[in-house]
Amino acid sequence: MVTVENGRAVKMRGNPDQPYTRGALCVKVNRYLEHTQAQDRLLYPLRRTGPKGSGQFERITWEEALDEISVRLRAIVEEHGGEAIWPYLGTGTLGYLQGCEGVAGRRFWNLLGASRHWLNICSAAGNAGLRRTLGTAAGMDPENFALSKLILLWGTNTLTSGHHLWKFIQDARADGAYVVAIDPVRTRTADQADEHLAIRPGTDGALALGLLNVVLSENAQDEEFLAEHTEGWDDFREEILRHPVERVAEITGIPAEAVHRLGMRLAHTRPTALRATHGLQRHAGGGAALRVIAAIPGVTGDWRHPGGGMAFSTSDHVHLNVDRRDDLLAAPVRTLTMTKAASQLESVKCFWVYAANPVGSSPDSNAIRRQLLREDLFTVVMEHFPTDTVDYADIVLPATMQTEHHDLHAGYGHMYLLWNEQAVRPPGECLSTTETFRRLAAHMGMTEPSLYDSDLELAEQLLTSGHPSLEGITLDRLRKEGWARMNYPRPFTPFAEGFPTPSGRLRFPPAGKAYVPSYTAASRPSPGESSPYPLTLVTPASHTFLNTTFGNNPELLRRAKEPTVLVNPADAAARGLEDGRRVRVHNDGGEFLADVEISDRVAAGVVATPKGRWPKLSPGGANPNAVVAERDADMGRGPGFHDNFVEISPA
């Protein structure tokens, strides 16, 4: 809710009537208005004047920018074909009009025959794994956590990355629920949980099998649910039996008695809810791990109970009419992926970046920089601020922020559609994503009518899917009320009567496949094997930044202080590291600098540092993505940010 005085946004607060947020904002978004009015905001089109990477630009007009872009795009298409253009769209906004959920600009790119862009850097492995098991990546309504009696927060730091859910967890605790945090790091959330299990990174699938082993030993499986609503149980049961508690303890690093104790709780507590988010699926076996975790409520029958099941994302419950107009393509085109940005840029002649900061957020950032230095690569960046990626641009286009444009949102952690009404005029010459592509299409003489649909027309089109969940939800209603819960019952138990698979049944992972056991990683040293990089680095979400968004906010930078790396006392002693000392975290791919924080918040062999810092605002000009190699997970071509092995040395 934004208060505007004399055309200026002067106050922002959460809407207390919204049932999921209840008026609360996080530490990052609380400073959003300040962020829109920051001194370093990009307000005008810019053209590069210095070497690539120097960040040296001159102001130009929109007409000049569109002229140069049009000439360069036509020449690239004529000489190299449309696939030499890579529209690289990130999660800087998840809007259905301006951002990645609706694939903003896709109609324009289809007419040029540009390469497809696969936004796989976030949750692709988990989504793919869940769809193989459940037929969908959607799960339980997060609000139903208030009805749960046992809650497993698995690889998720709720109080930092999704704190609205905590209210419903607290409601459950008030009614006697027990909360367990499963995480390699003892996070803020782990501090508030009833119990914390410090799992070895990448071994989540093994823990899931071990917990189910205890369920079977107690004969606590739901035989009726298994018979009526699952397939592949016999083979999966054999896989579970191959994972007794003692073996799982060796794999996961969790004491056997703790595994057994939680297994007993799981066996005898209904309903049990699991919250698993993105961190645990950023491994070589990430998709398989989610498959096995989603199978837990299939064995216990929790999918049938309100307050039972698993929540990963609610996106698949959203049934908007996202028409990407693939009919505008003259021929099929290739797909390029975010996880392989550096290597795939070799065949690209135009790199168009919007709502993204690949130099700060993508694997192997050093290799990405080398590609962006190419003189034959025409780089356009639509941005709010002078990020590291902007420094390599040939043309910079100033973009609007949330208070300055219309958008339609549907968060992946709740069951609501949200309308974002433009509150103020854009500052300077900033344009929305939709308006930028409308103007560029006109400048290039394109005549396809759909390229010129207004934002309100686009929003109307999104609401025309005819799906029952949207019945009665109109644009007029959204603009008046701000939000609307999609038409799902309360409580919502999506799979009580079956699953959206071809058979209507939950599909247990088949035995004998490479993804069972799911904790095998080719890049991971075997126990006892010597390695030049023996430490596993995990990069959890920052409490002050949202990926690299807000990474330049002065107050949030002050709160974040200098970058630190958590190191267990045993690992620090073995390397002669002192608390607060500046160190190099390095491997064959590169290095970044941080100050040591000696702490038992991580187990021996594991080190942790938050993601989200801008490289150029970090000591040494690099962030943790300098040591992340390009690699894909087992499913969905997801990222492997946490299959990352390093050494730490004094700086």
Side-chain angles (χ1 to χ4, degrees), residues 271-510:
T272 289
L274 299 92
R275 172 67 167 165
T277 53
H278 302 336
L280 71 87
Q281 51 91 67
R282 289 173 176 157
H283 291 282
L290 263 295
R291 284 206 74 175
V292 180
I293 292 169
I296 291 175
V299 176
T300 61
D302 275 294
W303 282 120
R304 74 159 85 229
H305 301 297
M310 191 191 79
F312 176 74
S313 170
T314 57
S315 292
D316 278 6
H317 289 309
V318 181
H319 294 281
L320 294 170
N321 177 29
V322 181
D323 185 358
R324 298 179 173 93
R325 293 303 306 273
D326 290 344
D327 59 299
L328 299 178
L329 277 169
V333 295
R334 65 179 178 173
T335 297
L336 302 175
T337 63
M338 301 177 86
T339 52
K340 299 291 181 70
S343 57
Q344 293 181 345
L345 272 169
E346 293 178 2
S347 61
V348 171
K349 298 298 182 182
C350 173
F351 192 43
W352 188 294
V353 180
Y354 51 128
N357 182 15
V359 175
S361 297
S362 296
D364 203 348
S365 55
N366 291 329
I368 292 174
R369 289 176 190 269
R370 289 192 291 271
Q371 288 295 328
L372 295 182
L373 287 170
R374 286 170 32 212
E375 287 298 329
D376 67 329
L377 179 66
F378 179 54
T379 301
V380 179
V381 180
M382 299 163 66
E383 250 297 354
H384 306 138
F385 296 101
T387 65
D388 291 83
T389 304
V390 163
D391 288 346
Y392 291 84
D394 295 292
I395 297 289
V396 181
L397 302 178
T400 51
M401 297 175 71
Q402 291 296 128
T403 52
E404 302 153 8
H405 59 226
H406 293 313
D407 214 339
L408 182 63
H409 289 267
Y412 49 82
H414 58 68
M415 305 294 289
Y416 299 85
L417 295 183
L418 310 164
W419 177 252
N420 188 97
E421 183 78 12
Q422 181 179 344
V424 294
R425 290 177 56 84
E429 296 178 6
C430 295
L431 294 181
S432 68
T433 303
T434 47
E435 181 60 19
T436 296
F437 284 114
R438 283 191 286 261
R439 292 195 187 186
L440 182 56
H443 213 81
M444 295 185 70
M446 294 179 171
T447 58
E448 163 58 38
S450 67
L451 294 174
Y452 303 101
D453 288 346
S454 70
D455 288 358
L456 297 184
E457 288 172 327
L458 292 169
E460 291 275 15
Q461 292 164 21
L462 286 164
L463 295 168
T464 62
S465 70
H467 193 272
S469 65
L470 301 183
E471 185 177 351
I473 301 178
T474 64
L475 181 58
D476 183 60
R477 176 185 166 190
L478 285 171
R479 295 189 73 183
K480 288 178 180 176
E481 300 177 10
W483 53 270
R485 180 179 167 91
M486 292 177 288
N487 294 314
Y488 292 104
R490 292 177 184 268
F492 179 41
T493 51
F495 311 133
E497 301 302 326
F499 296 82
T501 60
S503 66
R505 293 169 175 263
L506 180 150
R507 299 176 291 201
F508 288 117

Side-chain angles (χ1 to χ4, degrees), residues 141-311:
D141 180 349
E143 293 181 47
N144 283 4
F145 274 68
L147 306 175
S148 307
K149 295 301 182 185
L150 174 63
I151 296 173
L152 308 187
L153 300 175
W154 203 318
T156 182
N157 184 7
T158 304
L159 287 171
T160 283
S161 327
H163 69 100
H164 297 301
L165 180 65
W166 192 253
K167 297 184 287 290
F168 301 98
I169 293 171
Q170 291 291 71
D171 291 343
R173 294 180 96 173
D175 201 28
Y178 190 81
V179 178
V180 180
I182 302 168
D183 200 301
V185 184
R186 195 171 77 244
T187 62
R188 293 168 182 260
T189 303
D191 283 338
Q192 295 298 316
D194 296 299
E195 186 176 358
H196 170 228
L197 300 184
I199 191 170
R200 185 171 290 137
T203 64
D204 305 276
L207 178 59
L209 292 166
L211 296 177
L212 288 175
N213 188 284
V214 179
V215 171
L216 292 188
S217 71
E218 290 292 295
N219 198 31
Q221 65 273 17
D222 188 326
E223 294 287 3
E224 182 182 359
F225 191 85
L226 287 167
E228 294 181 0
H229 298 300
T230 72
E231 61 182 74
W233 169 237
D234 289 342
D235 285 344
F236 188 57
R237 182 178 183 277
E238 292 303 312
E239 190 64 45
I240 293 169
L241 294 176
R242 285 192 283 270
H243 287 77
V245 166
E246 293 74 17
R247 181 188 178 197
V248 167
E250 290 180 8
I251 295 167
T252 63
I254 300 170
E257 57 271 22
V259 177
H260 183 266
R261 185 170 59 245
L262 181 55
M264 291 292 288
R265 286 188 184 276
L266 176 64
H268 299 293
T269 309
R270 305 277 77 76
T272 289
L274 299 92
R275 172 67 167 165
T277 53
H278 302 336
L280 71 87
Q281 51 91 67
R282 289 173 176 157
H283 291 282
L290 263 295
R291 284 206 74 175
V292 180
I293 292 169
I296 291 175
V299 176
T300 61
D302 275 294
W303 282 120
R304 74 159 85 229
H305 301 297
M310 191 191 79

Side-chain angles (χ1 to χ4, degrees), residues 1-15:
M1 301 178 70
V2 178
T3 301
V4 179
E5 293 179 358
N6 299 319
R8 181 181 172 88
V10 297
K11 180 181 178 182
M12 187 180 75
R13 63 188 180 97
N15 187 341

Side-chain angles (χ1 to χ4, degrees), residues 60-106:
I60 58 175
T61 66
W62 268 101
E63 190 73 11
E64 290 173 309
L66 295 175
D67 277 342
E68 183 165 342
I69 291 169
S70 298
V71 169
R72 295 292 295 269
L73 289 180
R74 286 194 188 98
I76 289 169
V77 172
E78 182 176 341
E79 183 176 354
H80 303 283
E83 288 180 304
I85 301 168
W86 186 353
Y88 189 102
L89 172 59
T91 57
T93 170
L94 283 88
Y96 279 83
L97 301 182
Q98 312 296 346
C100 64
E101 292 289 6
V103 194
R106 178 74 164 263

Side-chain angles (χ1 to χ4, degrees), residues 15-129:
N15 187 341
D17 296 329
Q18 214 290 327
Y20 190 67
T21 66
R22 303 183 195 176
L25 299 176
C26 70
V27 65
K28 299 171 272 279
V29 178
N30 265 324
R31 311 195 75 84
Y32 194 78
L33 288 188
E34 170 192 293
H35 204 51
T36 66
Q37 299 159 11
Q39 291 287 317
D40 56 343
R41 178 84 186 266
L42 296 173
L43 300 177
Y44 304 98
L46 303 173
R47 177 193 290 125
R48 177 171 64 89
T49 57
K52 290 198 173 195
S54 67
Q56 298 173 17
F57 298 98
E58 64 179 358
R59 178 179 168 181
I60 58 175
T61 66
W62 268 101
E63 190 73 11
E64 290 173 309
L66 295 175
D67 277 342
E68 183 165 342
I69 291 169
S70 298
V71 169
R72 295 292 295 269
L73 289 180
R74 286 194 188 98
I76 289 169
V77 172
E78 182 176 341
E79 183 176 354
H80 303 283
E83 288 180 304
I85 301 168
W86 186 353
Y88 189 102
L89 172 59
T91 57
T93 170
L94 283 88
Y96 279 83
L97 301 182
Q98 312 296 346
C100 64
E101 292 289 6
V103 194
R106 178 74 164 263
R107 298 175 181 183
F108 175 83
W109 299 122
N110 282 349
L111 276 169
L112 284 183
S115 291
R116 288 279 179 81
H117 172 69
W118 174 226
L119 205 157
N120 65 328
I121 205 168
C122 189
S123 57
N127 280 320

